[in-house]
Amino acid sequence: MNYITGKTIKQLREKKGLTQKQLADIVGVSDKTISKWETSKGYPDISVTESLATALGVSLSELFTGNIKENKNTSANLRKSSFYICPVCGNTVNAIGQCNISCCGITLLEETADICNENHNIAVEISDNEYYVTVRHPMTKQHYVSFISYVTSGSVETIKLYPEQNAEARFRRKGHGTIYIYCNKDGMFKINV
């Protein structure tokens, strides 16, 4: 198990422009305690970790792992969305950008989408003001397309699919975007529309 390192505390404190005394006042400990933490002569008690994370402007997960995520996506363009899928229960999480997500006791990895291929061929027909998306793919309990998503700069729409159902979906056209499918055995595939 990871625990908070002195290096992480010092880097985050300096990044926030805080002195050891200022951080100590916020957290409710002495500046000598902050010094001990930063020089690895002691560790923060679990009772102060939440206030320490808040004072340093990070999540508890980031504080414990030292893996600090910076949100460089200031425009909130949804085309920068990330998908995380639990391999145990199939839970799907969509996030704007990268993040730390866990499900069923494991940390989920961001899914990367391959370009569609002959086994995962995504067909898109335009009908009136809709995209009609079909995928020629088995839809059995062992091998199926779990969802189809249409992602544009301003929206994400996902249709959940189940085994023994047709692998198809309809989306109202909202401009240029990307269609994603997720196969429970082979992963994620995409096509730009």
Side-chain angles (χ1 to χ4, degrees), residues 88-119:
V88 177
C89 71
N91 187 21
T92 302
V93 177
N94 177 253
I96 301 174
Q98 296 177 332
C99 56
N100 292 323
I101 297 176
S102 60
C103 186
C104 296
I106 57 173
T107 300
L108 304 183
L109 300 176
E110 177 184 359
E111 288 291 327
T112 56
D114 292 323
I115 302 299
C116 62
N117 58 37
E118 64 278 353
N119 295 326

Side-chain angles (χ1 to χ4, degrees), residues 5 7-8 16-17 23 45 51 59 61 71 73 77-80 91 116 126 141 147 149 153 163 165 168 171-172 181:
T5 67
K7 180 180 174 184
T8 299
K16 290 287 277 186
L23 180 59
D45 186 79
S51 60
S59 69
S61 174
N71 185 4
N73 186 7
N77 183 340
L78 293 175
R79 289 195 75 175
K80 297 177 184 176
N91 187 21
C116 62
I126 299 173
K141 290 182 180 178
F147 68 84
S149 285
S153 61
Q165 172 183 10
E168 62 185 16
F171 300 101
R172 187 175 60 84
I181 67 164

Side-chain angles (χ1 to χ4, degrees), residues 30-46:
S30 72
D31 57 336
K32 289 186 185 345
T33 300
I34 300 292
S35 177
K36 283 183 181 179
W37 295 345
E38 290 185 358
T39 57
S40 299
K41 294 179 182 168
Y43 296 102
D45 186 79
I46 196 74

Side-chain angles (χ1 to χ4, degrees), residues 9-18 56 68-70:
I9 295 170
K10 184 174 182 177
Q11 285 176 341
L12 291 171
R13 177 183 60 76
E14 289 174 347
K15 187 175 178 182
K16 290 287 277 186
L18 297 172
L56 295 172
I68 311 305
K69 302 287 184 182
E70 291 188 41

Side-chain angles (χ1 to χ4, degrees), residues 20-29:
Q20 289 182 344
K21 174 75 172 125
Q22 290 169 323
L23 180 59
D25 290 342
I26 295 168
V27 177
V29 296

